[in-house]
Structures are given as structure tokens and as C-alpha cells.
Amino acid sequence: MNEQSADGPRRIAPVPDETSEPFWRGGADGELRIQRCNDCGYFLHPPGRRCPECGGRAFTFSAVAGTGQVYSFAVNHQQWHPAYPTPYVIASVELPEQAGLRIVTNLVDCELDAVHIGLAVRVVFERLGEWHIPLFTPEVAAP
Ligand SMILES: [Zn+2]
């Protein structure tokens, strides 16, 4: 059952600051961009101002593959906001670029019964004004 679609509910816009803004803009170029430490290469998400690995304070937003696996998820049935019809899937998606690198997101275009830990997913973007919201959808298995 697909409760969300490209012309579906309008999302609440993010309020990026100077630290997180590149993350919300990457989708304009079809890229999932994650903050990466210039000194040691550590990926940091959510974006921050100090590298937890080396203490570095200089970062670049690097495009990652946009693939991942569902690390954990919940199906929400409580309608907290009129813009978000239920049910919908909240997921923590682990990216392959670094152990423990995870993004909290929604799964879209996905049968609720098909969601499981380890499900292979890929990023899709939902444009919202000048921002692009990274969402994930199941990888389509090769025939
Ligand atoms: Zn670092």
C-alpha cells in the first residue's frame, strides 16, 4: 500500500543553517551529499561543526552513492500533522560509505509489508521550494 507519491502530501520545509544547507541542496543535482572532514575523511551526519574523529573543523560535502540498507524502522499510524497522512515509514538508513553512517528518513513508494531490516534502498529526492528532501525507496531487483 503506497500512501505517498510524488504529488502526495506537502512536507514541512527544513530550516537549514550554514552548516546543513549543502545537505538540503544536493538533490538539485541528483546527489546525496554528506559532510566529510577535510583532515581525516570521516563522514559526519547530521552535519556538525567539529569532526568527532580528529577534531577537525573544515568540511566538504561529498556525494555518496545514494544506496543504503534499512538499519531500523517504524511504521507510524498516528497522524501528528495534517500534511502527513498515515501510515508512513520512518527509517534509519545506513549508508555503505562508513560503518554507522545513518540517515533518518521516510521510505516512499514501498509496500509496508515489504519493509524489513536490511532492505536495500536508494535515495530519491522530493523538491520543496529551494530544498530537496532525501527520501529512500526500495532498490528494484535486477530481473
Ligand atoms: Zn576528521
Side-chain angles (χ1 to χ4, degrees), residues 37 40 51 54:
C37 176
C40 74
C51 175
C54 76

Side-chain angles (χ1 to χ4, degrees), residues 2-16:
N2 175 18
E3 295 293 336
Q4 296 182 342
S5 64
D7 56 359
R10 190 160 173 79
R11 292 176 182 278
I12 300 168
V15 183

